[in-house]
Amino acid sequence: MYAGHFAAALAIKAKEPRAPSWALLLGVGLLDVLFGIFVMLGIEKVTMTPHAGHGFTLDFIDWSHSLAMSLVWAALFCAPFRRRGRAVALAVAIAVFSHFLLDLPMHPPDLALWPYSRVHLGFGLWNRLPTGWWWVELSVIALFCGYYVSRALKTFGGRAPWACAVILALHIFNSPWLSTAR
Ligand SMILES: [Zn+2]
């Protein structure tokens, strides 16, 4: 999932407004940030396949994206927020772990249970629904943004619809019909 991750951050913000927005927005993307770093360090591996499937295959992402490591990263990233209270730390942890949950339906089975586990999860909607995945992600975005706007309209000085518009724009730029790489 792409833009949908950020929609999750907005929904969590609406539920726990005391959690810093930057921490939630960084949190939902943390596993991908780590993935980028780990690929550069040669710890994880991705192969670009411009003319097949979703445009890339994630050959080894066990350290950034496995179920166990997602929980570890969530625990580490939320630790400094514990002094702001349990609810805030929990919201930040959920933001990090939501990445795994939202990647689960989209990824082909490349999400390990733990590093070097033989079992890999992923329902594979990216490959099974070459354009349909975009609509699935759109419904996720609609759900999270709808919740955010319904709760946050007053809290954030009327800026909530703009945050949703940015996410929607990201999602539109990422549509399979606009991509020339495939
Ligand atoms: Zn990811």
Side-chain angles (χ1 to χ4, degrees):
M1 192 156 289
Y2 305 103
H5 289 304
F6 298 106
L10 297 190
I12 297 167
K13 176 75 182 176
K15 182 82 187 148
E16 183 48 65
R18 288 175 303 153
S21 301
W22 69 267
L24 296 176
L25 289 168
L26 178 60
V28 294
L30 185 67
L31 303 192
D32 282 349
V33 172
L34 292 170
F35 164 71
I37 295 170
F38 292 165
V39 166
M40 278 193 284
L41 294 175
I43 298 167
E44 297 198 333
K45 199 169 177 306
V46 56
T47 307
M48 290 306 180
T49 56
H51 302 293
H54 199 64
F56 55 81
T57 54
L58 300 166
D59 305 314
F60 183 77
I61 54 169
D62 290 10
W63 290 109
S64 63
H65 275 68
S66 63
L67 172 62
M69 289 310 295
S70 305
L71 291 167
V72 170
W73 299 128
L76 288 177
F77 189 68
C78 85
F81 296 94
R82 266 195 246 152
R83 60 193 156 83
R84 300 196 193 203
R86 238 165 183 246
V88 170
L90 187 67
V92 173
I94 289 172
V96 175
F97 188 63
S98 75
H99 190 101
F100 177 87
L101 296 177
L102 292 178
D103 272 359
L104 194 59
M106 298 306 198
H107 280 228
D110 53 25
L111 303 166
L113 289 183
W114 53 80
Y116 300 106
S117 154
R118 281 202 187 160
V119 181
H120 285 74
L121 310 171
F123 307 143
L125 291 190
W126 274 342
N127 293 336
R128 277 199 229 173
L129 306 172
T131 53
W133 67 266
W134 190 88
W135 297 102
V136 174
E137 184 162 348
L138 183 67
S139 352
V140 171
I141 291 171
L143 197 77
F144 285 144
C145 283
Y147 176 74
Y148 174 65
V149 169
S150 73
R151 283 189 62 121
L153 211 47
K154 294 179 191 106
T155 329
F156 301 114
R159 282 169 300 169
W162 285 105
C164 295
V166 169
I167 287 173
L168 201 59
L170 280 175
H171 189 51
I172 289 167
F173 280 125
N174 192 38
S175 84
W177 305 280
L178 282 178
S179 172
T180 50
R182 275 160 241 156

